[in-house]
Amino acid sequence: MSTGKLKRRRFLQMATMAGAGAFLAACGGAAPAAAPTTAPEQAAGPTTDAPAAPTAAPTGAPAEPSAAPTQEAAQAVDLRFVWWGGQLRADITTQVIHMFEEENPNVSFSYEPLGFDEYWTKMTTQAAGGGLPDVMQHGSSTLVEWAQKGFLQPLDEYVAAGSLDFSDIPETLQNHGKIDGKIYGVSAGSNANGIVIDLDAFDKAGIAAPEDTWTWSDFEALALELHEKLGIWGFGMYLHHIDLWRIIYASAGQELYSSDRKSLGYSDDKPLVDHMQMILRLQEAGAIPTLAEETEVASQGPESQFIVSGQAAMDWLAGSNQLVALWGAAGENRRFKILPIPRIAGMKQGTAIRPSQFVAVTATSKQPEEAVKFINFFTNSIEANKVLNAERGVPINTKVLEALSADAQPAQQAIYDYLARLAKDSAPYSVIPDPVGVEEIRTNIYYPEFSDPIRYGMLSPQEGAALLREKANEILAANN
Amino acid sequence: MSIQTAKPLSKVSNKQLKRLLGSVFYHGFVSALSIVMIYPLLWMLASSFKRKDEIWTKASSLIPEQLNFQNYVEGWRGFGGISFTTYFSNSLLITVLSTVLAVFSSALVAYGFARLSFRWKNVWFALMLTTMMLPIQVQIIPQYIMFSRIGWVNTYFPLILPHMFGTPFFIFMMVQFIRGIPIELDEAAEIDGCGKGRIFFTIILPLIKPALVTAAIFAFYWSWDDFLTPLIYLNDPKLYTISLALRSFADPSSVTNWGGVFAMGILALIPVFIIFVLFQRYLVEGISTTGLKG
Amino acid sequence: MRYSLENIEQRALPSKGAVLKKLSKRRRRDNWIGYLFIAPWLIGFFGFTFFPIAASLILSFTDYDILSGQPNWIGLKNFETMFFKDPRYWRAVKATLYFAFTSVPLKLIFALAVAMLLMRGRRLVGIYRALYYAPSIVGGSVAVSVMWQQIFGNQGLINAMLRAVDLPTRPWLGDPRTAIWTLILLAVWQFGSPMLIFLAGLKQIPSEYYEAAEIDGADLFAKFFRITLPLLSPVIFFNLVMQLIYGFMTFTQAYVITSGKPLDTTLFYNLYVFNRAFSDFDLGYSAAMSWVLLLVIALVSALMFQLSRFWVFYEAGEK
């Protein structure tokens, strides 16, 4: 009995100390304190209007741009632009936005820099729930899918009216964003796959840098020789990259997708099988890393590639604009050069000049005229592009490119040179844009069912290529 | 790391010597293990001082060629004119509010589940646990639709208000702690005429202080670290939180300021670390003063 | 076990039985007070949680594609595809089970051991705790993936140590046999949260018990098995249930570090759910997957609650 009382007293004492303190105060203050004071006035933008019905986002035909573009121009307009990219891109893009705002005092921008994965998570959510920005970035396969599903506006009208000025843009580049005869996106810069070579390593091995018309057998011999002489990998990572699939067939003169998009455009697996067999030979010889060895760096961007740390003499370049990041991480005193992807002996150039990404106007944008005006500024203004400095890829406007070439850094110059060289015999950037389902083929078939099992030796190249063709055809037939 | 209880050996008796040896062994073992534990963090700290052409080319080195604070300066600059000052203060506001709300409301609910009997209690409790088992990934879109209908997009409401209603993890945890308290205490208080509210405030809350402290540490960290909710709901970079800003550094397709990633990553750990150091001391006394000796 | 506890405790009130009876009667009348206390959660549940959960349940029976917008009712087809036509689904199941059933016990044992080690009022114990807890707050930022590469990569720490003693090295992150173990190690390394809960639980054990046991001449083992373990059992149970739920639902580490590679050996269930929803826009399918996961976790948890009767000891004596 007595101990019980004693305990109780002690507990009550503790209670007055602890209970009456922080938590009671928190309780009393809870309800009013919960309203964040900064939030409401920020909510005024165009985003909270939730333009579309929740699940039935813009389903039907894309909204037509409104007919009277001019008279509204003076009205105050809010534009929202979201992009993916790192810190550098955020800085320069914001700067260009401010330049545009200065020229157009009626426009105020809200903008968001996001990481790549985060960007797509957010845009997908906002597409479903309503609330997409006015201007967004796109890759080529997403552009098709989003345009066909009615989330983007065609821009032809503005091109015709001249508010989107295409006069200094080569025609092939104008058409990069064309889907079913309509322009849905403007290339934010040109890009191309390539192979980056470490000129110092070549010198050290006493090997001359290869010709830019090299073939896959040249490549194989070179990779082996570099490996032998330097004791490092002849080539770094991603020799099975999905982009090579198209490039190899382009070199063989075949389209990857059929013109009705319902199937693959080829029926002969041989070019692909040959390529995978070469990979296995090089891997066996130790001239390239095993897939296990390259897995660890594959997701971390150009800075982490083996050529940067000197572990490989040649490496994959997913986009020529990545040379800037790669070179920066390697050090300014190194020397690099970009070469086109090798071709199949006796066949043509398979590498194509393509957009690094697009800028597009969403169907839900309420002020497409202003959005287009911004894209026009973004694409054609020399001042703006001096700030943007080809970070998203080589400018598509010829005059802008000339202006930028004047004072380019070594990495930037190497990219300009490469694209200029490629323009001579570039494979056409597929006139058929990517069909719907390409993403699904990439994430669920190409890597997990085809390339990776082959490189881990669990599947023969022949079986793999047949499986890839079969599964890809299924997906394409179901989606298009 | 090896700090020992330094005493002149001559004055030490046999028993003390034994204790000293035990102490040396203890500290030796614990501090050796702690180096293994924090090695990766040391590596990150080292990388935050490296030059950008050093980060990847001399990645395995734990000692940067020189102490280079450039990454901190560059990183702090943030994105498009919005610096980490903004992100830090946003995160602090959101995190402190969420933490206080989550801990208090969870304790309230936990007391209800642990000590009171009411109809369908077990059903509600099971339901509450079940809500934790559905991946947030499939709830994002319906939730976004809901909050955008209410007009909460681009506000802090979706980040803070849900914490007002208790967090299942904390509720369950506190239920377990409350059930560890002898019920005779409640009963005694009840005989003395205490209502349930008084029992909760004067007996239960002080007694589950360890659980409250633990919950506060977690709530703070989770709210601080959460990037999905801010990502989905905040459209204005002036409202961004630190966890969201940290993810805007990396871009696998172009230039990433890795030095900035590491530098800001280190700075982002500091508030969480401080909260832990401040709060964990509440988990020290008690048992050590009256409990096991030696 | 209980016998000895009762002995030590010496708390049996003479009128205990009678008081209890009276009180339990009163307790039943406390219906509305109970609802008052859990009201915050009820409001939150019906206000915020219910709709997204219900929506995902409905969507699991549709072919809802996020970008197409129109969900069509397709009955059980998603479940059929999942179970019979999707090889990646079963790889995800396998990876997740493997991960959950290895990482959870390891993590808990480690956490309890360290908590016991760091519970005493030794000098520096606060610093040690902070150091041991530090890994648990690094979260899932991109820095973690790079960090992990520096440890398990070709040129990483582990391989450097192996090379130093002339042992064969391997690419730990890329080898299908070892990749998942690097994630398991990461999970165990971040044992801070169960450790903290164990510490809180240990602190709550009244020291009188230990004192009484010491008078009875109990040694360390006896104290651990007869006092610590039974009195900590509610907390152990909590950690076990929660860690298992989290183990099944692991996402971030795989998302940030391995993206499911190599050969889908680290394709955790939730990572696959996320990919299906946000890369393939197939929200109907991922909702179906999620609900299967929910059912499995709920069953496992229910089983654990049933089994807990046999080993979890509650002071409060309620069922």
Side-chain angles (χ1 to χ4, degrees):
Chain A
M1 229 15 202
S2 65
T3 47
K5 238 178 200 161
L6 194 79
K7 260 186 190 169
R8 200 169 25 169
R9 201 176 306 144
R10 207 180 86 213
F11 289 138
L12 290 174
Q13 267 172 3
M14 285 167 69
T16 39
M17 294 193 304
F23 293 107
L24 268 180
C27 169
T37 44
T38 50
E41 69 253 29
Q42 307 285 3
T47 47
T48 41
D49 303 352
T55 44
T59 42
E64 292 298 318
S66 70
T70 42
Q71 71 212 45
E72 280 178 65
Q75 274 180 3
V77 167
D78 284 317
L79 277 184
R80 184 165 157 242
F81 178 25
V82 188
W83 65 86
W84 74 79
Q87 194 186 23
L88 175 64
R89 184 175 296 172
D91 288 345
I92 56 183
T93 310
T94 315
Q95 214 176 321
V96 168
I97 285 174
H98 292 322
M99 288 164 70
F100 181 76
E101 280 177 331
E102 240 162 68
E103 280 184 26
N104 303 272
N106 63 319
V107 179
S108 66
F109 256 95
S110 64
Y111 52 85
E112 279 175 85
L114 290 170
F116 183 80
D117 292 333
E118 289 74 35
Y119 174 86
W120 285 110
T121 305
K122 180 163 192 167
M123 289 303 107
T124 307
T125 308
Q126 300 201 330
L132 282 177
D134 299 277
V135 183
M136 64 187 287
Q137 266 183 203
H138 266 290
S140 52
S141 61
T142 55
L143 185 80
V144 181
E145 189 151 12
W146 286 55
Q148 290 193 333
K149 289 182 173 167
F151 288 96
L152 305 176
Q153 294 196 15
L155 304 173
D156 306 73
E157 200 172 311
Y158 304 101
V159 178
S163 56
L164 184 54
D165 185 5
F166 271 7
S167 49
D168 290 324
I169 296 167
E171 205 185 332
T172 47
L173 301 181
Q174 292 178 20
N175 291 335
H176 276 173
K178 203 172 233 180
I179 296 158
D180 297 332
K182 283 183 178 168
I183 294 167
Y184 282 94
V186 179
S187 165
S190 294
N191 220 354
N193 300 105
I195 285 178
V196 56
I197 65 171
D198 183 344
L199 292 172
D200 299 322
F202 273 75
D203 282 354
K204 200 175 154 202
I207 302 170
E211 295 290 315
D212 55 16
T213 51
W214 60 339
T215 65
W216 281 113
S217 33
D218 296 339
F219 171 87
E220 188 177 356
L222 210 51
L224 287 167
E225 200 183 343
L226 284 162
H227 169 63
E228 236 162 69
K229 291 199 169 150
L230 298 172
I232 59 174
W233 288 314
F235 182 85
M237 64 177 196
Y238 259 144
L239 204 46
H240 61 289
H241 195 280
I242 190 167
D243 287 353
L244 288 166
W245 189 17
R246 171 179 290 186
I247 292 168
I248 286 164
Y249 278 97
S251 176
Q254 294 177 50
E255 285 291 348
L256 188 52
Y257 305 110
S258 68
S259 51
D260 63 0
R261 302 179 200 160
K262 287 183 188 302
S263 65
L264 293 177
Y266 68 87
S267 52
D268 179 12
D269 289 335
K270 187 168 181 298
L272 189 59
V273 170
D274 286 348
H275 184 69
M276 295 311 290
Q277 280 170 339
M278 178 194 75
I279 291 179
L280 292 180
R281 284 194 302 272
L282 286 172
Q283 192 173 290
E284 184 69 23
I288 60 170
T290 62
L291 189 54
E293 285 163 326
E294 66 180 70
T295 296
E296 63 181 68
V297 291
S299 60
Q300 288 167 4
E303 286 94 343
S304 68
Q305 286 192 252
F306 293 124
I307 198 168
V308 170
S309 50
Q311 297 181 75
M314 304 188 282
D315 217 328
W316 166 250
L317 208 53
S320 43
N321 65 334
Q322 296 188 355
L323 185 69
V324 177
L326 191 146
W327 204 321
E332 302 298 333
N333 53 348
R334 304 265 297 267
R335 292 182 306 132
F336 296 103
K337 187 186 179 191
I338 317 175
L339 288 173
I341 308 293
R343 55 190 72 192
I344 301 172
M347 299 288 194
K348 54 187 180 177
Q349 174 70 272
T351 320
I353 295 177
R354 57 182 175 80
S356 66
Q357 57 200 267
F358 295 95
V359 277
V361 180
T362 58
T364 44
S365 171
K366 285 176 182 157
Q367 41 275 323
E369 302 81 17
E370 298 297 329
V372 166
K373 203 170 169 187
F374 173 70
I375 292 180
N376 188 54
F377 180 73
F378 194 78
T379 313
N380 294 320
S381 158
I382 291 179
E383 286 72 44
N385 276 283
K386 278 193 170 153
V387 174
L388 294 171
N389 198 21
E391 192 268 340
R392 283 179 170 85
V394 178
I396 57 172
N397 180 314
T398 342
K399 288 192 175 147
V400 169
L401 180 55
E402 273 168 28
L404 288 192
S405 304
D407 43 15
Q409 298 291 306
Q412 212 59 268
Q413 194 56 51
I415 298 169
Y416 295 155
D417 291 348
Y418 175 56
L419 285 207
R421 185 254 158 263
L422 205 56
K424 289 178 199 152
D425 61 352
S426 160
Y429 174 69
S430 192
V431 251
I432 316 163
D434 291 357
V436 178
V438 169
E439 271 301 294
E440 198 179 337
I441 294 173
R442 186 176 73 85
T443 55
N444 288 331
I445 309 295
Y446 185 88
Y447 289 115
E449 304 289 345
F450 165 73
S451 68
D452 293 6
I454 291 177
R455 290 200 63 178
Y456 278 110
M458 302 176 65
L459 191 70
S460 77
Q462 288 84 354
E463 285 168 324
L467 181 88
L468 172 68
R469 195 155 41 78
E470 178 198 338
K471 298 265 184 181
N473 280 335
E474 269 175 33
I475 290 175
L476 291 173
N479 280 286
N480 293 281
Chain B
M1 276 297 112
S2 61
I3 310 158
Q4 307 149 8
T5 46
K7 266 186 185 177
L9 269 172
S10 53
K11 287 182 193 167
V12 173
S13 72
N14 209 8
K15 201 177 171 191
Q16 275 173 319
L17 185 71
K18 214 173 166 188
R19 189 183 279 187
L20 182 70
L21 277 177
S23 183
V24 168
F25 180 76
Y26 174 85
H27 287 290
F29 177 75
V30 173
S31 56
L33 193 59
S34 71
I35 291 175
V36 176
M37 291 301 296
I38 60 162
Y39 170 82
L41 293 175
L42 292 178
W43 177 84
M44 194 166 140
L45 186 67
S47 295
S48 74
F49 290 111
K50 290 179 183 171
R51 286 192 323 270
K52 78 171 172 181
D53 58 349
E54 198 185 335
I55 288 177
W56 293 99
T57 50
K58 300 188 179 74
S60 52
S61 149
L62 259 195
I63 299 149
E65 282 177 359
Q66 66 206 55
L67 276 192
N68 172 11
F69 287 91
Q70 196 57 26
N71 292 327
Y72 285 86
V73 177
E74 293 251 315
W76 190 269
R77 212 163 36 86
F79 306 91
I82 299 160
S83 75
F84 270 75
T85 316
T86 310
Y87 306 135
F88 261 95
S89 40
N90 291 343
S91 275
L92 275 178
L93 172 76
I94 295 169
T95 304
V96 169
L97 282 177
S98 315
T99 305
V100 171
L101 289 173
V103 172
F104 180 74
S105 59
S106 300
L108 212 60
V109 177
Y111 175 69
F113 276 126
R115 281 293 204 254
L116 304 175
S117 53
F118 48 90
R119 202 174 293 195
W120 295 335
K121 180 165 104 170
N122 291 340
V123 176
W124 292 124
F125 192 73
L127 201 61
M128 185 193 74
L129 291 186
T130 315
T131 60
M132 278 190 290
M133 302 169 191
L134 193 68
I136 182 68
Q137 287 83 1
V138 296
Q139 299 181 50
I140 294 172
I141 285 176
Q143 200 189 50
Y144 176 81
I145 291 169
M146 184 176 77
F147 283 140
S148 83
R149 279 285 178 90
I150 314 175
W152 281 5
V153 173
N154 210 20
T155 72
Y156 286 152
F157 291 116
L159 282 68
I160 298 174
L161 282 194
H163 294 282
M164 231 172 93
F165 305 104
T167 311
F169 182 93
F170 299 145
I171 296 174
F172 183 21
M173 183 174 88
M174 291 176 193
V175 163
Q176 294 302 94
F177 276 89
I178 294 172
R179 291 175 80 177
I181 299 170
I183 198 158
E184 288 81 1
L185 291 171
D186 297 41
E187 285 160 359
E190 213 163 336
I191 291 164
D192 286 358
C194 271
K196 297 293 182 199
R198 283 227 14 231
I199 295 177
F200 171 68
F201 280 110
T202 57
I203 295 180
I204 300 296
L205 271 191
L207 277 180
I208 58 165
K209 209 159 82 182
L212 296 177
V213 166
T214 310
I217 292 175
F218 291 161
F220 189 92
Y221 168 58
W222 286 343
S223 177
W224 187 265
D225 190 50
D226 177 27
F227 88 98
L228 198 60
T229 326
L231 168 70
I232 301 293
Y233 294 106
L234 300 179
N235 288 338
D236 183 344
K238 285 191 211 63
L239 299 180
Y240 273 19
T241 62
I242 195 154
S243 55
L244 186 51
L246 276 178
R247 300 219 174 201
S248 302
F249 270 111
D251 178 22
S253 64
S254 66
V255 183
T256 298
N257 178 3
W258 284 104
V261 171
F262 296 130
M264 292 304 107
I266 289 285
L267 290 188
L269 295 182
I270 290 175
V272 189
F273 200 69
I274 289 175
I275 289 289
F276 177 81
V277 171
L278 291 182
F279 279 38
Q280 64 86 24
R281 51 180 78 219
Y282 291 104
L283 307 178
V284 179
E285 340 111 355
I287 208 125
S288 57
T289 48
T290 55
L292 301 165
K293 297 215 174 84
Chain C
M1 236 182 274
R2 285 189 81 163
Y3 168 74
S4 64
L5 277 168
E6 299 278 337
N7 266 354
I8 295 164
E9 212 182 343
Q10 301 169 339
R11 64 161 188 223
L13 300 160
S15 56
K16 191 177 171 185
V19 172
L20 269 182
K21 227 178 216 169
K22 214 162 94 192
L23 283 173
S24 68
K25 212 182 197 177
R26 200 188 295 173
R27 236 181 279 151
R28 244 170 272 135
R29 275 191 277 123
D30 294 339
N31 221 342
W32 67 272
I33 302 184
Y35 273 95
L36 204 64
F37 271 95
I38 69 157
W41 177 74
L42 280 177
I43 295 169
F45 176 74
F46 286 107
F48 295 121
T49 323
F50 180 75
F51 171 71
I53 290 183
S56 77
L57 178 61
I58 294 166
L59 288 178
S60 69
F61 298 104
T62 68
D63 65 352
Y64 181 61
D65 170 305
I66 297 175
L67 293 187
S68 300
Q70 284 303 337
N72 301 307
W73 189 267
I74 53 168
L76 294 174
K77 200 162 156 258
N78 282 331
F79 298 91
E80 199 189 312
T81 312
M82 191 187 314
F83 292 141
F84 302 112
K85 289 178 192 158
D86 186 354
R88 297 195 82 200
Y89 175 80
W90 288 108
R91 282 179 230 152
V93 170
K94 193 180 151 203
T96 309
L97 289 177
Y98 191 89
F99 177 80
F101 286 114
T102 48
S103 71
V104 173
L106 284 175
K107 186 177 185 170
L108 288 182
I109 291 168
F110 200 47
L112 181 58
V114 173
M116 305 270 302
L117 209 57
L118 299 184
M119 88 175 164
R120 307 196 203 169
R122 296 232 190 210
R123 239 182 270 197
L124 301 175
V125 88
I127 294 174
Y128 289 141
R129 281 181 185 180
L131 293 179
Y132 282 67
Y133 186 71
S136 306
I137 59 173
V138 297
S141 77
V142 280
V144 179
S145 73
V146 183
M147 204 161 78
W148 226 233
Q149 179 203 322
Q150 287 316 315
I151 295 171
F152 291 103
N154 304 320
Q155 306 297 321
L157 179 73
I158 304 282
N159 277 351
M161 292 193 320
L162 289 174
R163 239 174 251 130
V165 290
D166 267 338
L167 283 172
T169 62
R170 57 165 77 216
W172 303 94
L173 282 163
D175 190 321
R177 282 163 301 179
T178 54
I180 195 168
W181 277 97
T182 69
L183 296 186
I184 291 169
L185 267 176
L186 176 60
V188 175
W189 183 60
Q190 299 187 318
F191 66 93
S193 100
M195 173 188 83
L196 209 55
I197 297 170
F198 280 137
L199 274 173
L202 287 170
K203 183 182 153 48
Q204 223 196 9
I205 299 174
S207 42
E208 290 87 350
Y209 291 5
Y210 290 106
E211 281 156 15
E214 243 163 54
I215 292 164
D216 289 354
D219 62 1
L220 272 178
F221 281 97
K223 280 191 277 186
F224 177 73
F225 284 106
R226 304 182 125 194
I227 301 173
T228 312
L229 221 45
L231 286 180
L232 202 59
S233 62
V235 172
I236 297 175
F237 175 64
F238 168 79
N239 269 337
L240 192 61
V241 172
M242 290 315 303
Q243 290 299 327
L244 210 58
I245 292 179
Y246 284 161
F248 276 120
M249 295 182 58
T250 303
F251 171 74
T252 316
Q253 287 95 337
Y255 177 67
V256 170
I257 297 177
T258 59
S259 329
K261 287 181 226 176
L263 290 178
D264 291 343
T265 48
T266 62
L267 182 73
F268 293 149
Y269 203 95
N270 260 1
L271 180 61
Y272 193 42
V273 164
F274 178 83
N275 286 345
R276 288 310 289 225
F278 286 88
S279 324
D280 306 339
F281 309 121
D282 212 346
L283 190 59
Y285 190 68
S286 58
M289 282 176 54
S290 305
W291 273 88
V292 171
L293 178 66
L294 181 141
L295 286 180
V296 170
I297 302 179
L299 275 177
V300 172
S301 308
L303 188 71
M304 283 167 52
F305 268 89
Q306 289 300 316
L307 291 176
S308 77
R309 289 169 194 210
F310 301 109
W311 65 276
V312 178
F313 169 79
Y314 292 112
E315 280 271 359
E318 257 184 274
K319 58 158 172 95

